[in-house]
């Protein structure tokens, strides 16, 4: 009987220790990594998807904030001159960049009488941006600044469902941080390692240079020009260089088509390759890090109307 009692007590202690360890891991993952606090997304039948409105949190040590219009900005301030910052994940920044370190925030904080709204999302193209503005309005803006990459020339909307189906576009939070770590980060990497079949989300496809091949030049370019002409406000295009283009010191054929379109339509285009970007300004093949965001902000300030 004594041995059985001793065994019961030992098992109980082991269970209590395991529970304590799980609780410590859970709390640590939430505090240190911001797990169970990912930015959430909503679907749209006009512009595919966007960050869910009215979000504020921390993820991987970085602060993120989305206003009531799903913009990575504070609420539009009518007392300031509004500039529309339009683009994809380069401008969006993601949770790898703190709210204060993305280019639109740097511009807004530097120019006290100007607010640059961040209207963007991962893998958005000009057609997503134009559709968003047609639905939400233009917020009495005095200018439009579009950040694109060469692959945006034919990266047209296809309305393939992504929200709630891909880990980069969640619509609900995980209940447990350790399960998010396993399910969102560890297990997918193990599956991709042992299997050649991958269900990639749009951002991952771009990183692996798997681009959409639209049949026509992205209609969003003309759509944004139509909006800017109707409001009599300037549209400026900023052509971001992917790292391969940076190393080759020239844009690919799709980038050249964007330049040609801008020149034919009298649109001012800023070519990033004409500025002093270097390899250390990138955090992967496409996206720029905080150092690159600072350079982008300085260029925006230089060219704002």
């Amino acid at each position: 009987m004594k041995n059985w009692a001793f065994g019961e007590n030992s098992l109980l202690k082991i269970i209590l220790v395991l529970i304590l360890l799980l609780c410590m891991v859970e709390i640590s993952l939430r505090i240190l990594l911001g797990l169970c606090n990912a930015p959430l997304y909503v679907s749209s039948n006009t512009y595919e998807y966007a960050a869910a409105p009215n979000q504020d949190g921390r993820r991987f040590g970085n602060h993120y904030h989305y206003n009531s219009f799903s913009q990575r900005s504070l609420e539009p301030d009518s007392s300031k001159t509004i500039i529309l910052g339009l683009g994809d994940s380069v401008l969006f920044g993601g949770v790898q960049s703190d709210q204060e370190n993305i280019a639109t925030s740097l511009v807004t904080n530097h120019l006290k009488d100007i607010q640059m709204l961040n209207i963007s999302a991962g893998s958005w193209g000009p057609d997503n941006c134009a559709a968003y503005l047609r639905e939400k309005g233009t917020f009495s803006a005095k200018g439009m600044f579009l950040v694109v990459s060469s692959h945006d020339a034919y990266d047209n909307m296809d309305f393939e469902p992504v929200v709630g189906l891909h880990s980069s576009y969640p619509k609900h939070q995980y209940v447990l941080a350790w399960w998010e770590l396993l399910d969102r980060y560890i297990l997918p990497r193990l599956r991709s390692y042992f299997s050649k079949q991958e269900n990639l989300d749009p951002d991952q496809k771009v990183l692996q240079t798997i681009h959409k091949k639209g049949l026509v030049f992205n209609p969003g370019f003309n759509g944004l020009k139509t909006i800017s002409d109707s409001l009599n406000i300037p549209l400026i295009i900023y052509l971001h260089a992917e790292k391969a283009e940076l190393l080759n010191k020239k844009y690919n054929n799709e980038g050249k088509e964007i330049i040609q379109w801008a020149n034919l339509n009298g649109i001012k285009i800023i070519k990033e390759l004409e500025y002093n970007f270097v390899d250390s300004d990138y955090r992967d093949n496409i996206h720029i890090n905080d150092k690159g965001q600072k350079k982008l902000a300085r260029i925006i300030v230089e060219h704002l109307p």
Side-chain angles (χ1 to χ4, degrees), residues 167 180-193 198 204:
S167 60
E180 180 178 7
L181 180 65
L182 283 172
D183 186 57
R184 183 170 178 178
Y185 297 102
I186 296 178
L187 293 178
R189 282 162 176 77
L190 290 175
R191 283 193 290 267
S192 65
Y193 180 79
E198 293 183 84
Q204 293 168 326

Side-chain angles (χ1 to χ4, degrees), residues 274-293:
E274 296 178 354
Y275 291 82
N276 62 332
F277 277 78
V278 293
D279 186 86
S280 61
D281 295 321
Y282 291 70
R283 56 179 166 86
D284 53 40
N285 293 329
I286 302 286
H287 305 101
I288 51 178
N289 54 27
D290 288 352
K291 184 164 161 269
Q293 292 281 345

Side-chain angles (χ1 to χ4, degrees), residues 204-249:
Q204 293 168 326
K205 288 179 181 178
V206 170
L207 285 175
Q208 296 193 19
T209 66
I210 304 172
H211 299 158
K212 297 177 186 175
K213 295 296 181 182
L215 298 178
V216 297
F217 188 75
N218 193 300
F221 286 101
N222 280 319
L224 291 173
K225 181 181 184 300
T226 298
I227 294 172
S228 68
D229 288 345
S230 67
L231 298 173
N232 195 28
I233 62 174
L235 168 64
I236 299 173
I237 295 177
Y238 179 93
L239 185 55
H240 169 64
E242 298 177 7
K243 189 179 284 189
E245 294 172 321
L246 178 74
L247 297 177
N248 292 329
K249 298 181 180 180

Side-chain angles (χ1 to χ4, degrees), residues 145 236-239 251 268-272 275 299 303:
F145 198 98
I236 299 173
I237 295 177
Y238 179 93
L239 185 55
Y251 290 106
K268 181 176 182 178
I269 185 164
I270 303 166
K271 306 180 191 72
E272 188 178 82
Y275 291 82
I299 296 170
H303 289 279

Side-chain angles (χ1 to χ4, degrees), residues 100-142:
E100 294 304 306
N101 294 334
I102 57 175
T104 50
S105 295
L106 294 172
V107 171
T108 299
N109 293 334
H110 179 71
L111 302 173
K112 301 303 181 181
D113 58 338
I114 285 178
Q115 182 186 24
M116 188 171 192
L117 299 178
N118 189 309
I119 303 173
S120 61
S123 292
W124 263 19
D127 49 354
N128 297 86
C129 298
Y132 175 96
L133 295 181
R134 284 192 289 265
E135 180 177 297
K136 303 289 187 182
T138 54
F139 307 94
S140 302
K142 301 302 180 186

Side-chain angles (χ1 to χ4, degrees), residues 27 61 65 74 95 127 130 150 187 195 199 245 259 264 278 289:
I27 294 170
H65 175 83
L74 296 176
V95 292
D127 49 354
S150 295
L187 293 178
S195 173
N199 184 22
E245 294 172 321
I259 295 171
L264 287 174
V278 293
N289 54 27

